[in-house]
PDB file of all heavy atoms in Angstrom:
ATOM      1  N   PRO A1554     -12.142  33.787  40.954  1.00 71.00           N
ATOM      2  CA  PRO A1554     -13.498  33.842  41.488  1.00 71.00           C
ATOM      3  C   PRO A1554     -14.496  34.551  40.560  1.00 71.00           C
ATOM      4  O   PRO A1554     -15.671  34.379  40.646  1.00 71.00           O
ATOM      5  CB  PRO A1554     -13.348  34.571  42.800  1.00 71.00           C
ATOM      6  CG  PRO A1554     -11.941  35.025  42.908  1.00 71.00           C
ATOM      7  CD  PRO A1554     -11.168  34.470  41.780  1.00 71.00           C
ATOM      8  N   ALA A1555     -13.943  35.372  39.649  1.00 73.00           N
ATOM      9  CA  ALA A1555     -14.826  36.118  38.726  1.00 73.00           C
ATOM     10  C   ALA A1555     -15.134  35.299  37.461  1.00 73.00           C
ATOM     11  O   ALA A1555     -15.969  35.740  36.650  1.00 73.00           O
ATOM     12  CB  ALA A1555     -14.159  37.435  38.343  1.00 73.00           C
ATOM     13  N   ALA A1556     -14.542  34.116  37.306  1.00 75.00           N
ATOM     14  CA  ALA A1556     -14.748  33.330  36.069  1.00 75.00           C
ATOM     15  C   ALA A1556     -16.192  32.916  35.870  1.00 75.00           C
ATOM     16  O   ALA A1556     -16.708  33.027  34.739  1.00 75.00           O
ATOM     17  CB  ALA A1556     -13.831  32.114  36.082  1.00 75.00           C
ATOM     18  N   PRO A1557     -16.913  32.428  36.871  1.00 77.00           N
ATOM     19  CA  PRO A1557     -18.308  32.051  36.612  1.00 77.00           C
ATOM     20  C   PRO A1557     -19.167  33.221  36.183  1.00 77.00           C
ATOM     21  O   PRO A1557     -20.019  33.084  35.296  1.00 77.00           O
ATOM     22  CB  PRO A1557     -18.805  31.477  37.959  1.00 77.00           C
ATOM     23  CG  PRO A1557     -17.576  31.024  38.645  1.00 77.00           C
ATOM     24  CD  PRO A1557     -16.490  31.990  38.234  1.00 77.00           C
ATOM     25  N   ALA A1558     -18.957  34.384  36.766  1.00 80.00           N
ATOM     26  CA  ALA A1558     -19.747  35.591  36.360  1.00 80.00           C
ATOM     27  C   ALA A1558     -19.393  36.008  34.927  1.00 80.00           C
ATOM     28  O   ALA A1558     -20.281  36.393  34.156  1.00 80.00           O
ATOM     29  CB  ALA A1558     -19.492  36.720  37.337  1.00 80.00           C
ATOM     30  N   ALA A1559     -18.105  35.921  34.571  1.00 79.00           N
ATOM     31  CA  ALA A1559     -17.701  36.280  33.199  1.00 79.00           C
ATOM     32  C   ALA A1559     -18.296  35.324  32.180  1.00 79.00           C
ATOM     33  O   ALA A1559     -18.788  35.741  31.128  1.00 79.00           O
ATOM     34  CB  ALA A1559     -16.179  36.311  33.087  1.00 79.00           C
ATOM     35  N   LEU A1560     -18.298  34.034  32.564  1.00 79.00           N
ATOM     36  CA  LEU A1560     -18.961  33.048  31.662  1.00 79.00           C
ATOM     37  C   LEU A1560     -20.462  33.279  31.560  1.00 79.00           C
ATOM     38  O   LEU A1560     -21.014  33.217  30.455  1.00 79.00           O
ATOM     39  CB  LEU A1560     -18.662  31.621  32.159  1.00 79.00           C
ATOM     40  CG  LEU A1560     -19.304  30.503  31.334  1.00 79.00           C
ATOM     41  CD1 LEU A1560     -18.757  30.511  29.921  1.00 79.00           C
ATOM     42  CD2 LEU A1560     -19.113  29.161  31.983  1.00 79.00           C
ATOM     43  N   GLN A1561     -21.092  33.594  32.663  1.00 82.00           N
ATOM     44  CA  GLN A1561     -22.547  33.851  32.625  1.00 82.00           C
ATOM     45  C   GLN A1561     -22.843  35.072  31.759  1.00 82.00           C
ATOM     46  O   GLN A1561     -23.818  35.057  30.984  1.00 82.00           O
ATOM     47  CB  GLN A1561     -23.071  34.047  34.041  1.00 82.00           C
ATOM     48  CG  GLN A1561     -24.584  34.125  34.114  1.00 82.00           C
ATOM     49  CD  GLN A1561     -25.093  34.356  35.517  1.00 82.00           C
ATOM     50  OE1 GLN A1561     -24.429  35.055  36.311  1.00 82.00           O
ATOM     51  NE2 GLN A1561     -26.202  33.742  35.850  1.00 82.00           N
ATOM     52  N   ASP A1562     -22.050  36.111  31.840  1.00 84.00           N
ATOM     53  CA  ASP A1562     -22.219  37.306  30.998  1.00 84.00           C
ATOM     54  C   ASP A1562     -22.018  36.953  29.514  1.00 84.00           C
ATOM     55  O   ASP A1562     -22.798  37.396  28.642  1.00 84.00           O
ATOM     56  CB  ASP A1562     -21.274  38.414  31.366  1.00 84.00           C
ATOM     57  CG  ASP A1562     -21.643  39.061  32.719  1.00 84.00           C
ATOM     58  OD1 ASP A1562     -22.808  38.908  33.143  1.00 84.00           O
ATOM     59  OD2 ASP A1562     -20.762  39.680  33.323  1.00 84.00           O
ATOM     60  N   ALA A1563     -20.973  36.150  29.187  1.00 81.00           N
ATOM     61  CA  ALA A1563     -20.750  35.769  27.803  1.00 81.00           C
ATOM     62  C   ALA A1563     -21.915  34.915  27.281  1.00 81.00           C
ATOM     63  O   ALA A1563     -22.366  35.118  26.136  1.00 81.00           O
ATOM     64  CB  ALA A1563     -19.433  34.987  27.708  1.00 81.00           C
ATOM     65  N   VAL A1564     -22.419  34.003  28.105  1.00 81.00           N
ATOM     66  CA  VAL A1564     -23.543  33.165  27.707  1.00 81.00           C
ATOM     67  C   VAL A1564     -24.796  34.030  27.512  1.00 81.00           C
ATOM     68  O   VAL A1564     -25.558  33.830  26.529  1.00 81.00           O
ATOM     69  CB  VAL A1564     -23.797  32.013  28.702  1.00 81.00           C
ATOM     70  CG1 VAL A1564     -25.108  31.323  28.452  1.00 81.00           C
ATOM     71  CG2 VAL A1564     -22.649  31.019  28.664  1.00 81.00           C
ATOM     72  N   ARG A1565     -24.983  34.978  28.384  1.00 84.00           N
ATOM     73  CA  ARG A1565     -26.140  35.871  28.278  1.00 84.00           C
ATOM     74  C   ARG A1565     -26.129  36.639  26.960  1.00 84.00           C
ATOM     75  O   ARG A1565     -27.103  36.746  26.241  1.00 84.00           O
ATOM     76  CB  ARG A1565     -26.185  36.845  29.475  1.00 84.00           C
ATOM     77  CG  ARG A1565     -27.436  37.654  29.559  1.00 84.00           C
ATOM     78  CD  ARG A1565     -27.496  38.447  30.857  1.00 84.00           C
ATOM     79  NE  ARG A1565     -27.811  37.577  31.952  1.00 84.00           N
ATOM     80  CZ  ARG A1565     -27.054  37.479  33.093  1.00 84.00           C
ATOM     81  NH1 ARG A1565     -25.966  38.195  33.219  1.00 84.00           N
ATOM     82  NH2 ARG A1565     -27.402  36.660  34.029  1.00 84.00           N
ATOM     83  N   ARG A1566     -24.934  37.198  26.602  1.00 84.00           N
ATOM     84  CA  ARG A1566     -24.794  37.908  25.339  1.00 84.00           C
ATOM     85  C   ARG A1566     -25.026  36.965  24.132  1.00 84.00           C
ATOM     86  O   ARG A1566     -25.674  37.361  23.164  1.00 84.00           O
ATOM     87  CB  ARG A1566     -23.421  38.550  25.223  1.00 84.00           C
ATOM     88  CG  ARG A1566     -23.243  39.788  26.107  1.00 84.00           C
ATOM     89  CD  ARG A1566     -21.948  40.520  25.750  1.00 84.00           C
ATOM     90  NE  ARG A1566     -20.794  39.650  25.779  1.00 84.00           N
ATOM     91  CZ  ARG A1566     -19.984  39.493  26.839  1.00 84.00           C
ATOM     92  NH1 ARG A1566     -20.245  40.123  27.958  1.00 84.00           N
ATOM     93  NH2 ARG A1566     -18.957  38.679  26.762  1.00 84.00           N
ATOM     94  N   LEU A1567     -24.493  35.775  24.227  1.00 80.00           N
ATOM     95  CA  LEU A1567     -24.635  34.801  23.132  1.00 80.00           C
ATOM     96  C   LEU A1567     -26.109  34.406  22.954  1.00 80.00           C
ATOM     97  O   LEU A1567     -26.623  34.335  21.822  1.00 80.00           O
ATOM     98  CB  LEU A1567     -23.790  33.562  23.448  1.00 80.00           C
ATOM     99  CG  LEU A1567     -23.771  32.476  22.366  1.00 80.00           C
ATOM    100  CD1 LEU A1567     -23.199  33.022  21.076  1.00 80.00           C
ATOM    101  CD2 LEU A1567     -22.919  31.304  22.838  1.00 80.00           C
ATOM    102  N   VAL A1568     -26.806  34.165  24.039  1.00 81.00           N
ATOM    103  CA  VAL A1568     -28.219  33.833  23.973  1.00 81.00           C
ATOM    104  C   VAL A1568     -29.029  34.985  23.360  1.00 81.00           C
ATOM    105  O   VAL A1568     -29.878  34.792  22.520  1.00 81.00           O
ATOM    106  CB  VAL A1568     -28.785  33.436  25.362  1.00 81.00           C
ATOM    107  CG1 VAL A1568     -30.292  33.404  25.368  1.00 81.00           C
ATOM    108  CG2 VAL A1568     -28.201  32.076  25.793  1.00 81.00           C
ATOM    109  N   GLN A1569     -28.709  36.211  23.798  1.00 82.00           N
ATOM    110  CA  GLN A1569     -29.422  37.384  23.248  1.00 82.00           C
ATOM    111  C   GLN A1569     -29.155  37.513  21.746  1.00 82.00           C
ATOM    112  O   GLN A1569     -30.089  37.825  20.983  1.00 82.00           O
ATOM    113  CB  GLN A1569     -28.984  38.643  23.993  1.00 82.00           C
ATOM    114  CG  GLN A1569     -29.848  39.852  23.625  1.00 82.00           C
ATOM    115  CD  GLN A1569     -31.337  39.615  23.918  1.00 82.00           C
ATOM    116  OE1 GLN A1569     -31.691  39.161  25.014  1.00 82.00           O
ATOM    117  NE2 GLN A1569     -32.186  39.907  22.966  1.00 82.00           N
ATOM    118  N   ASP A1570     -27.913  37.281  21.337  1.00 81.00           N
ATOM    119  CA  ASP A1570     -27.612  37.352  19.879  1.00 81.00           C
ATOM    120  C   ASP A1570     -28.392  36.259  19.114  1.00 81.00           C
ATOM    121  O   ASP A1570     -28.921  36.557  18.031  1.00 81.00           O
ATOM    122  CB  ASP A1570     -26.113  37.150  19.634  1.00 81.00           C
ATOM    123  CG  ASP A1570     -25.291  38.347  20.031  1.00 81.00           C
ATOM    124  OD1 ASP A1570     -25.875  39.427  20.251  1.00 81.00           O
ATOM    125  OD2 ASP A1570     -24.062  38.177  20.187  1.00 81.00           O
ATOM    126  N   ARG A1571     -28.481  35.070  19.683  1.00 79.00           N
ATOM    127  CA  ARG A1571     -29.220  33.994  19.028  1.00 79.00           C
ATOM    128  C   ARG A1571     -30.713  34.318  18.946  1.00 79.00           C
ATOM    129  O   ARG A1571     -31.360  34.041  17.944  1.00 79.00           O
ATOM    130  CB  ARG A1571     -29.026  32.663  19.759  1.00 79.00           C
ATOM    131  CG  ARG A1571     -27.610  32.142  19.760  1.00 79.00           C
ATOM    132  CD  ARG A1571     -27.233  31.642  18.424  1.00 79.00           C
ATOM    133  NE  ARG A1571     -27.758  30.302  18.261  1.00 79.00           N
ATOM    134  CZ  ARG A1571     -27.207  29.390  17.506  1.00 79.00           C
ATOM    135  NH1 ARG A1571     -26.128  29.646  16.861  1.00 79.00           N
ATOM    136  NH2 ARG A1571     -27.773  28.191  17.362  1.00 79.00           N
ATOM    137  N   LEU A1572     -31.246  34.892  20.005  1.00 81.00           N
ATOM    138  CA  LEU A1572     -32.685  35.260  20.009  1.00 81.00           C
ATOM    139  C   LEU A1572     -32.949  36.396  18.998  1.00 81.00           C
ATOM    140  O   LEU A1572     -33.983  36.386  18.342  1.00 81.00           O
ATOM    141  CB  LEU A1572     -33.106  35.688  21.400  1.00 81.00           C
ATOM    142  CG  LEU A1572     -33.169  34.572  22.443  1.00 81.00           C
ATOM    143  CD1 LEU A1572     -33.502  35.144  23.816  1.00 81.00           C
ATOM    144  CD2 LEU A1572     -34.167  33.518  22.047  1.00 81.00           C
ATOM    145  N   ASP A1573     -32.020  37.347  18.888  1.00 83.00           N
ATOM    146  CA  ASP A1573     -32.190  38.445  17.918  1.00 83.00           C
ATOM    147  C   ASP A1573     -32.115  37.940  16.452  1.00 83.00           C
ATOM    148  O   ASP A1573     -32.714  38.521  15.583  1.00 83.00           O
ATOM    149  CB  ASP A1573     -31.128  39.521  18.139  1.00 83.00           C
ATOM    150  CG  ASP A1573     -31.320  40.251  19.453  1.00 83.00           C
ATOM    151  OD1 ASP A1573     -32.449  40.164  20.020  1.00 83.00           O
ATOM    152  OD2 ASP A1573     -30.369  40.909  19.912  1.00 83.00           O
ATOM    153  N   GLN A1574     -31.348  36.842  16.261  1.00 79.00           N
ATOM    154  CA  GLN A1574     -31.180  36.328  14.900  1.00 79.00           C
ATOM    155  C   GLN A1574     -32.314  35.391  14.443  1.00 79.00           C
ATOM    156  O   GLN A1574     -32.407  35.112  13.266  1.00 79.00           O
ATOM    157  CB  GLN A1574     -29.846  35.579  14.806  1.00 79.00           C
ATOM    158  CG  GLN A1574     -28.649  36.452  14.903  1.00 79.00           C
ATOM    159  CD  GLN A1574     -27.374  35.625  14.944  1.00 79.00           C
ATOM    160  OE1 GLN A1574     -27.371  34.429  14.869  1.00 79.00           O
ATOM    161  NE2 GLN A1574     -26.233  36.340  15.078  1.00 79.00           N
ATOM    162  N   ARG A1575     -33.126  34.954  15.346  1.00 78.00           N
ATOM    163  CA  ARG A1575     -34.204  34.008  14.971  1.00 78.00           C
ATOM    164  C   ARG A1575     -35.104  34.553  13.876  1.00 78.00           C
ATOM    165  O   ARG A1575     -35.402  33.851  12.911  1.00 78.00           O
ATOM    166  CB  ARG A1575     -35.011  33.607  16.200  1.00 78.00           C
ATOM    167  CG  ARG A1575     -34.306  32.550  17.059  1.00 78.00           C
ATOM    168  CD  ARG A1575     -35.169  32.106  18.218  1.00 78.00           C
ATOM    169  NE  ARG A1575     -36.322  31.358  17.804  1.00 78.00           N
ATOM    170  CZ  ARG A1575     -36.343  30.055  17.610  1.00 78.00           C
ATOM    171  NH1 ARG A1575     -35.238  29.356  17.800  1.00 78.00           N
ATOM    172  NH2 ARG A1575     -37.449  29.425  17.250  1.00 78.00           N
TER     173      ARG A1575
END
Side-chain angles (χ1 to χ4, degrees):
L1560 178 63
Q1561 188 180 36
D1562 288 340
V1564 168
R1565 189 173 286 125
R1566 285 191 307 267
L1567 183 61
V1568 167
Q1569 189 59 48
D1570 288 345
R1571 296 287 279 209
L1572 291 175
D1573 292 343
Q1574 291 174 2
R1575 282 183 69 87

